[in-house]
Amino acid sequence: MPSSSLRDRVVDNASADLAVFSDTQFVDAILATTDTKYPLLSAVAATEWTAAETFKHWCEHSPAPSLVAVYDSVCHQEYTHFSRVRQYSNSTPPEDAHPGPMHAYLRGLESPIQRLAGGFLGRCLISVRTHQALAHRFHTERDQQSDISRLFETMHQETEAVLSTGLNELRQRCHTDSRYTTALMTAEYTIALAADDTRDALKHQQ
């Protein structure tokens, strides 16, 4: 299975859902979530922390020992992202916060293929789209905050690397049509959950 074909198919099939995360309404909404100096950063920090906790859960409950080191690496990266973001805000780790539909779903996955497809492909496609949109917004409209633009550009690049790792792992495992289909469906469902949750949140802000 060429890893590029799996990514391309997910992007094509989930194009409408992925578009939510670069839509002007979405970016405007998260930029206006609070009255703090950098309003979006609390939301972004919470997202990074929640992702780290998901990978920590996978490390602690992994049926595939060979993937624990992979999960652990991403876990540490997400905690690092949280630490970087909090430098520009007063963000603290969420306490007893519900992980939301997407991460609740991811934490319930057990098979390596589902975890790789959901956490490394579907989730990362959302993240790179969001990071790219936010970096562009800060770069074009908020020149005085170019350091934050660079922060999101760096996070975008690092998340792309995680996505590539996931695709490489999936390529080694999806050697049958049924496994390929499982990966495809899991990634698309992960994106759909996050997109539907985001659409609902945007409706409530109107």
Side-chain angles (χ1 to χ4, degrees):
M1 176 208 75
S3 58
S4 58
S5 69
L6 180 57
R7 176 176 181 161
D8 291 345
R9 283 198 62 183
V10 172
V11 170
D12 287 344
N13 294 350
S15 58
D17 286 335
L18 285 171
V20 171
F21 303 100
S22 56
D23 183 79
T24 300
Q25 183 185 8
F26 169 68
V27 177
D28 288 345
I30 59 176
L31 284 171
T33 51
T34 72
D35 294 326
T36 61
K37 185 177 180 181
Y38 302 120
L40 85 161
L41 296 182
S42 294
V44 173
T47 299
E48 301 300 328
W49 181 270
T50 301
E53 291 289 293
T54 294
F55 285 96
K56 179 182 178 181
H57 173 81
W58 284 0
C59 287
E60 295 171 347
H61 305 86
S62 178
S66 61
L67 286 175
V68 171
V70 178
Y71 299 154
D72 186 61
S73 175
V74 181
C75 177
H76 283 289
Q77 178 173 290
E78 296 299 334
Y79 280 133
T80 299
H81 284 179
F82 171 80
S83 297
R84 290 177 189 166
V85 173
R86 76 182 302 186
Q87 293 178 12
Y88 300 94
S89 68
N90 295 319
S91 302
T92 57
E95 295 183 3
D96 299 324
H98 188 278
M102 183 187 75
H103 279 284
Y105 169 68
L106 292 177
R107 293 177 193 183
L109 298 176
E110 295 186 356
S111 80
I113 288 177
Q114 288 180 312
R115 288 183 173 185
L116 290 166
F120 288 75
L121 179 52
R123 183 194 65 89
C124 284
L125 285 173
I126 293 168
S127 294
V128 297
R129 186 72 64 99
T130 302
H131 294 157
Q132 200 167 34
L134 293 173
H136 177 73
R137 174 65 67 89
F138 274 106
H139 179 71
T140 57
E141 297 185 11
R142 305 181 179 219
D143 291 337
Q144 73 278 18
Q145 296 171 11
S146 60
D147 53 341
I148 300 181
S149 177
R150 288 192 293 270
L151 168 67
F152 285 118
E153 288 171 356
T154 299
M155 290 169 63
H156 170 265
Q157 294 167 1
E158 292 174 348
T159 304
E160 277 281 6
V162 172
L163 203 163
S164 295
T165 296
L167 286 171
N168 288 335
E169 293 289 342
L170 283 167
R171 184 173 60 245
Q172 298 175 33
R173 290 168 171 79
C174 293
H175 43 71
T176 66
D177 289 344
S178 62
R179 292 187 175 189
Y180 181 91
T181 299
T182 295
L184 188 69
M185 293 177 64
T186 303
E188 291 175 10
Y189 186 65
T190 299
I191 295 169
L193 282 174
D196 287 345
D197 188 42
T198 300
R199 291 188 185 101
D200 288 343
L202 291 175
K203 287 179 181 177
H204 286 117
Q205 287 190 1
Q206 294 177 350

